[in-house]
Amino acid sequence: GESVGLHLPTLSVQEGDNSIINCAYSNSASDYFIWYKQESGKGPQFIIDIRSNMDKRQGQRVTVLLNKTVKHLSLQIAATQPGDSAVYFCAEKGGNNRLAFGKGNQVVVIP
Amino acid sequence: DADVTQTPRNRITKTGKRIMLECSQTKGHDRMYWYRQDPGLGLRLIYYSFDVKDINKGEISDGYSVSRQAQAKFSLSLESAIPNQTALYFCATSKGDSLIETQYFGPGTRLLVL
């Protein structure tokens, strides 16, 4: 199977519960943030983004929260489903106009 | 995402061989990127291109080269492959005139260097 999830922090969630995935970013000048989902054997897939002039943004079953004071980003998944099992990455765009990716968090949904 | 395709999907090669990984996109994006991913690590940028024939080094460009001869294609070459280049390689694209610059990824190429 896909080995990208090895050695990553793992969140085990009961199906139907809410999931919260956290990310600490490093650059206080970053002005744009993205969450990606990577399923086994696939490339990262865009989930939701947020600009630094916002502190919350909602999508379908997902919410991203941004706390610039402590440089923290979180992704909340409502009513977690088996298809949500994946590795989740945050990414920040800094002054060099390039994305810097976090190492990722493995989410395992227990049926 | 079928809009960004990579070939081959899997490749086994020997140390010292030259190999090329191809990326094609139908999204009409002008910016393209090559990343590698190793177990337990985040994505690391190898090279990127903002337009045809524009080439920029990323974090880990040593041992790699790229070519961007057309807007829709961005190829990555390993001139003389070595075992520590064993990794997952991802191509990505983005639209350069957008303030938000979301990157869209291909399905990846799994490379094993023996």
Side-chain angles (χ1 to χ4, degrees), chain B residues 13-114:
Chain B
T13 191
K14 294 182 179 179
T15 296
K17 294 291 187 182
R18 182 181 188 276
I19 66 160
M20 181 182 291
L21 309 183
E22 302 275 8
C23 177
S24 293
Q25 52 115 348
T26 59
K27 298 182 81 68
H29 289 170
D30 49 354
R31 299 186 175 189
M32 298 186 74
Y33 311 79
W34 274 105
Y35 292 90
R36 68 175 278 175
Q37 184 177 54
D38 298 277
L41 299 180
L43 291 157
R44 292 184 291 168
L45 183 63
I46 305 172
Y47 271 98
Y48 61 103
S49 168
F50 283 177
D51 204 348
V52 175
K53 298 188 179 178
D54 174 67
I55 301 296
N56 303 281
K57 291 184 177 181
E59 304 169 59
I60 51 164
S61 58
D62 288 348
Y64 302 95
S65 63
V66 291
S67 176
R68 182 91 184 274
Q69 297 298 317
Q71 188 193 49
K73 296 184 185 297
F74 193 33
S75 60
L76 175 72
S77 295
L78 285 67
E79 298 300 326
S80 179
I82 55 177
N84 77 1
Q85 290 177 314
T86 293
L88 270 171
Y89 289 85
F90 289 102
C91 174
T93 74
S94 69
K95 189 174 180 182
D97 62 357
S98 167
L99 286 176
I100 57 176
E101 275 234 46
T102 300
Q103 293 184 17
Y104 297 89
F105 286 81
T109 295
R110 185 184 296 273
L111 175 66
L112 174 61
V113 183
L114 299 175

Side-chain angles (χ1 to χ4, degrees), chain A residues 6-73:
Chain A
L6 285 180
H7 314 303
L8 295 176
T10 299
L11 174 68
S12 296
V13 184
Q14 200 72 39
E15 181 178 357
D17 287 352
N18 297 335
S19 304
I20 300 176
I21 307 158
N22 296 304
C23 178
Y25 64 94
S26 56
N27 187 352
S28 56
S30 293
D31 58 2
Y32 175 61
F33 304 87
I34 310 174
W35 278 102
Y36 284 94
K37 172 186 180 183
Q38 187 175 17
E39 296 176 88
S40 180
K42 297 183 179 179
Q45 178 185 11
F46 171 85
I47 303 174
I48 192 168
D49 58 2
I50 189 168
R51 298 178 68 176
S52 59
N53 61 352
M54 304 170 70
D55 53 22
K56 180 179 180 179
R57 190 162 188 227
Q58 288 185 289
Q60 187 178 15
R61 278 202 310 120
V62 294
T63 301
V64 56
L65 299 177
L66 175 63
N67 184 332
K68 294 182 286 296
T69 302
V70 295
K71 292 189 285 187
H72 184 267
L73 194 67

